[in-house]
Amino acid sequence: LRALFFKNSAEKSCVPKNKLTFLSLLIFFVLGFIGTSWNGHFVDKNIRKDVLSTAEKIAATINPQRIRELSFTPDDKANPSYLRIKDQLSKYTGFSENIRGVYTMAIKEGLVVFGPEDYDDDDPHASFPGQIYEQPHIEFVKAFDTGRSGTIGPFSDEYGTFVSAYAPVFCHVTGEVIMVLAVDMEASEWKKKVSAARIEAIVFTALILLLFMAGLFLITVRNNDHRKRSNLANHIETMMVLVLGIIVSIMISNRLHDLEKRNVADHFSRISNAKAELIRQEFFDIRSDLKSMAELLRFVDPGNGFEFEEYTKPLFFSPFIMTLEWIPLLKDGGEDRFGHVFISPVNGKDNPSGKDHFEDPARRSTIEEVLRTGLISATGTVDAVHNGTSVKAIVVYAHVKDRKNGLNEGL
């Protein structure tokens, strides 16, 4: 090290003058700069990947038929389909970190207009349905033609500065893009995370340089001290190598740990996305089947339990369906009440009263939503009984209207 750092060991100055010393310092600075840039790029890349994944997952859950029922005008405020999509967006973002908001866009008369979004009405970023988006990013507009998803930003519009991801929603029949969904992350939050990653690398680099310079100083002082050296002084170089090696090892292991965590998360995401897609498709199919059954019951009397079982047999091809029930809605002195329940498949046990559904708060709120909006709706996880065994289940309700007077006939 003396040969590397100094012109000769008898030099009286404590300042290193060998060109290799300055070359070593330059290498440290260059490696520190590369490490800082890489660390910031790594965090930025993962943030964009997560935001894009969120946008694509939300877009995949939106029912295109609900979009077809929107006018993208202020009248949508009272549209059940608008309210359903808005509620869906709000619930999803409640589980997502660092998301400022989710909104949707459509093309109307050549202009980009807003649709359902998760912002509250009093939020400064809120917009009303049909409001013109004055400064949309060009990639948002291109997405209606290309059908591609992506990330952009930081970019600024009339609402602020954001890092955003966008994903199209397609019509299942024609394949055209009927709406684009966007997810916003505040640019300040993005900058904070990227800066924190860069500062971490800068701190490690500064620590290495500090120890390097301190070691040079100690070596110089030792070489200029002609008194008898202690064993500790004779091993300054060894200790320098040891300490610097430990710090570099910590840096490398931290980065490898981050890469491993990301790889595990990506692997889990691929598996979970595949399973989620299966479940999502099953729910789409169940919704379609229930809608068809509700239409059938408008014209066909369910009769007794055995006839109802015959009507519903085709729906049991889905492994997710445990039972199907028919709950007639009766008038009792001007008040609605639920009648005797038909269950398919018939299990020989006493069928419960429809009142049992309304006594459970979770089911009652869902039933009230179905009767209010006319949309097929599902509960969260509730307690149920299947073949005499208590189980956890999700109950999906579809309303049936009388084909003559349009009144609710049952669920």
Side-chain angles (χ1 to χ4, degrees):
L1 285 175
R2 283 197 297 273
L4 176 64
F5 298 144
F6 305 97
K7 286 185 175 180
N8 59 75
S9 59
E11 184 68 44
K12 299 298 181 183
S13 172
C14 289
V15 180
K17 296 182 179 180
N18 195 296
K19 292 181 180 179
L20 291 178
T21 301
F22 292 104
L23 180 60
S24 300
L25 293 174
L26 179 61
I27 291 174
F28 272 125
F29 277 112
V30 172
L31 292 178
F33 176 79
I34 293 175
T36 300
S37 299
W38 183 88
N39 221 31
H41 175 72
F42 178 78
V43 171
D44 173 55
K45 179 181 177 182
N46 288 334
I47 289 175
R48 293 176 186 273
K49 183 183 293 186
D50 291 340
V51 176
L52 178 59
S53 176
T54 298
E56 291 175 337
K57 288 176 181 177
I58 299 176
T61 65
I62 295 178
N63 182 3
Q65 181 58 37
R66 298 275 179 264
I67 302 173
R68 290 296 190 188
E69 295 168 357
L70 302 179
S71 63
F72 289 94
T73 66
D75 293 339
D76 282 341
K77 279 281 189 177
N79 187 322
S81 294
Y82 174 89
L83 298 175
R84 170 62 61 85
I85 297 175
K86 181 179 178 66
D87 180 64
Q88 184 178 342
L89 300 181
S90 299
K91 288 180 177 178
Y92 199 105
T93 54
F95 295 96
S96 302
E97 295 182 0
N98 307 318
I99 300 302
R100 178 61 179 86
V102 180
Y103 55 98
T104 59
M105 298 163 281
I107 298 292
K108 188 174 182 180
E109 298 179 356
L111 299 174
V112 178
V113 297
F114 290 110
E117 57 188 23
D118 77 324
Y119 293 115
D120 295 329
D121 291 340
D122 58 352
D123 192 297
H125 291 175
S127 56
F128 58 84
Q131 179 176 329
I132 297 175
Y133 191 177
E134 300 290 349
Q135 303 174 36
H137 195 283
I138 186 62
E139 294 300 327
F140 290 161
V141 181
K142 288 182 179 179
F144 285 95
D145 295 324
T146 64
R148 295 177 181 175
S149 56
T151 59
I152 53 175
F155 84 102
S156 298
D157 59 14
E158 61 262 44
Y159 297 96
T161 304
F162 308 95
V163 171
S164 301
Y166 58 92
V169 180
F170 299 94
C171 173
H172 288 169
V173 178
T174 65
E176 66 175 320
V177 177
I178 54 178
M179 189 171 74
V180 171
L181 179 143
V183 175
D184 278 348
M185 178 182 185
E186 293 277 9
S188 58
E189 186 66 25
W190 167 83
K191 185 177 181 180
K192 185 190 301 181
K193 289 182 176 294
V194 173
S195 297
R198 289 172 175 164
I199 290 173
E200 178 186 354
I202 291 172
V203 168
F204 270 109
T205 303
L207 183 59
I208 291 175
L209 286 173
L210 181 63
L211 291 173
F212 184 78
M213 297 302 295
L216 290 180
F217 177 77
L218 292 175
I219 291 172
T220 304
V221 171
R222 182 197 64 186
N223 292 341
N224 290 325
D225 188 353
H226 299 292
R227 292 175 297 176
K228 184 178 180 180
R229 300 176 184 174
S230 64
N231 289 332
L232 185 62
N234 287 328
H235 296 288
I236 293 177
E237 295 89 345
T238 303
M239 288 187 292
M240 280 183 61
V241 173
L242 176 63
V243 173
L244 292 175
I246 291 174
I247 294 175
V248 172
S249 297
I250 292 174
M251 291 178 61
I252 294 175
S253 63
N254 281 342
R255 297 289 73 78
L256 291 176
H257 178 64
D258 291 341
L259 287 172
E260 179 65 19
K261 282 178 59 179
R262 189 69 212 185
N263 288 335
V264 170
D266 289 343
H267 180 66
F268 174 79
S269 180
R270 286 192 293 270
I271 296 175
S272 62
N273 286 346
K275 292 184 178 294
E277 177 58 33
L278 290 175
I279 296 174
R280 184 164 51 242
Q281 189 58 50
E282 280 292 341
F283 268 97
F284 282 149
D285 293 343
I286 289 172
R287 179 175 56 204
S288 177
D289 290 342
L290 282 180
K291 185 176 181 180
S292 299
M293 180 56 61
E295 285 297 314
L296 173 65
L297 292 177
R298 291 182 63 195
F299 297 92
V300 178
D301 190 326
N304 56 45
F306 292 99
E307 291 175 345
F308 179 68
E309 183 178 32
E310 288 298 317
Y311 296 152
T312 58
K313 272 184 178 178
L315 277 65
F316 282 97
F317 286 109
S318 171
F320 287 84
I321 295 179
M322 297 191 304
T323 60
L324 285 158
E325 303 179 19
W326 164 245
I327 311 172
L329 186 62
L330 307 176
K331 289 291 183 179
D332 185 7
E335 295 184 359
D336 293 335
R337 68 176 180 86
F338 293 100
H340 197 67
V341 175
F342 292 156
I343 294 182
S344 176
V346 177
N347 54 25
K349 298 182 174 60
D350 290 337
N351 292 346
S353 166
K355 184 176 67 172
D356 296 340
H357 284 264
F358 211 72
E359 287 179 345
D360 178 8
R363 301 187 191 202
R364 182 177 65 246
S365 63
T366 305
I367 290 173
E368 290 173 345
E369 181 181 355
V370 172
L371 297 178
R372 183 180 67 255
T373 66
L375 301 178
I376 297 174
S377 302
T379 66
T381 304
V382 298
D383 294 322
V385 177
H386 181 56
N387 293 332
T389 304
S390 296
V391 296
K392 295 291 185 181
I394 294 173
V395 185
V396 186
Y397 294 97
H399 79 304
V400 178
K401 288 188 175 182
D402 187 282
R403 61 189 178 92
K404 295 179 180 179
N405 54 31
L407 298 177
N408 291 313
E409 189 172 335
L411 297 167

